[in-house]
Amino acid sequence: MRDDIKINERALALEEQLIYHLERIYDTDVELDIYNLGLIYEIHLDETGTCKVVMTFTDTACDCAESLPIEVVNSLKKIDGIENVNVEVTWSPAWKITRISRFGRIALGISPR
């Protein structure tokens, strides 16, 4: 899991599956998945199987602000052990281009760090 994502131990046990599913959800404005774009801030899975995802968008006027949380819910509910998914959208801290992963920078043609 990326160092800039807060994740609890229960969610960490599903790390590979979480990354797999998040990498398949694309911000269509930027043409990059939400994981490598750095839109995910936090993942918390409780003992009842409820997964809370805190995420943001690249801009307050993002065209996919309504569709992406729904895609996150639908995708993560496919993982065994996750019964419910709640997505919280936050604007603090504001997303910055520095949140894009090395892979994402290469994919977008931005100089890797």
Side-chain angles (χ1 to χ4, degrees):
M1 189 64 62
R2 296 172 51 141
D3 292 339
D4 58 353
I5 298 175
K6 286 178 53 178
I7 183 169
N8 71 336
E9 286 189 38
R10 192 176 300 273
L12 197 56
L14 301 174
E15 176 180 16
E16 287 182 29
Q17 294 175 72
L18 288 164
I19 293 170
Y20 174 86
H21 285 276
L22 293 171
E23 284 183 332
R24 277 143 187 83
I25 302 170
Y26 279 78
D27 180 321
T28 54
D29 292 340
V30 183
E31 305 265 335
L32 186 64
D33 68 86
I34 63 173
Y35 180 77
N36 285 293
L37 190 53
L39 298 184
I40 304 298
Y41 286 175
E42 182 179 333
I43 302 173
H44 178 86
L45 181 62
D46 71 16
E47 61 281 346
T48 67
T50 297
C51 183
K52 176 184 175 186
V53 177
V54 178
M55 68 178 294
T56 194
F57 297 99
T58 56
D59 187 288
T60 55
C62 182
D63 289 340
C64 49
E66 289 185 27
S67 63
L68 283 181
I70 295 168
E71 288 184 57
V72 169
V73 169
N74 292 337
S75 187
L76 296 186
K77 283 175 74 174
K78 294 176 184 175
I79 299 173
D80 284 340
I82 295 180
E83 301 299 322
N84 298 301
V85 179
N86 298 319
V87 176
E88 177 185 320
V89 175
T90 186
W91 301 106
S92 180
W95 180 87
K96 295 180 181 173
I97 198 167
T98 56
R99 289 194 54 85
I100 299 175
S101 71
R102 181 172 170 75
F103 170 82
R105 289 173 171 277
I106 292 167
L108 293 174
I110 301 171
S111 175
R113 302 180 236 183

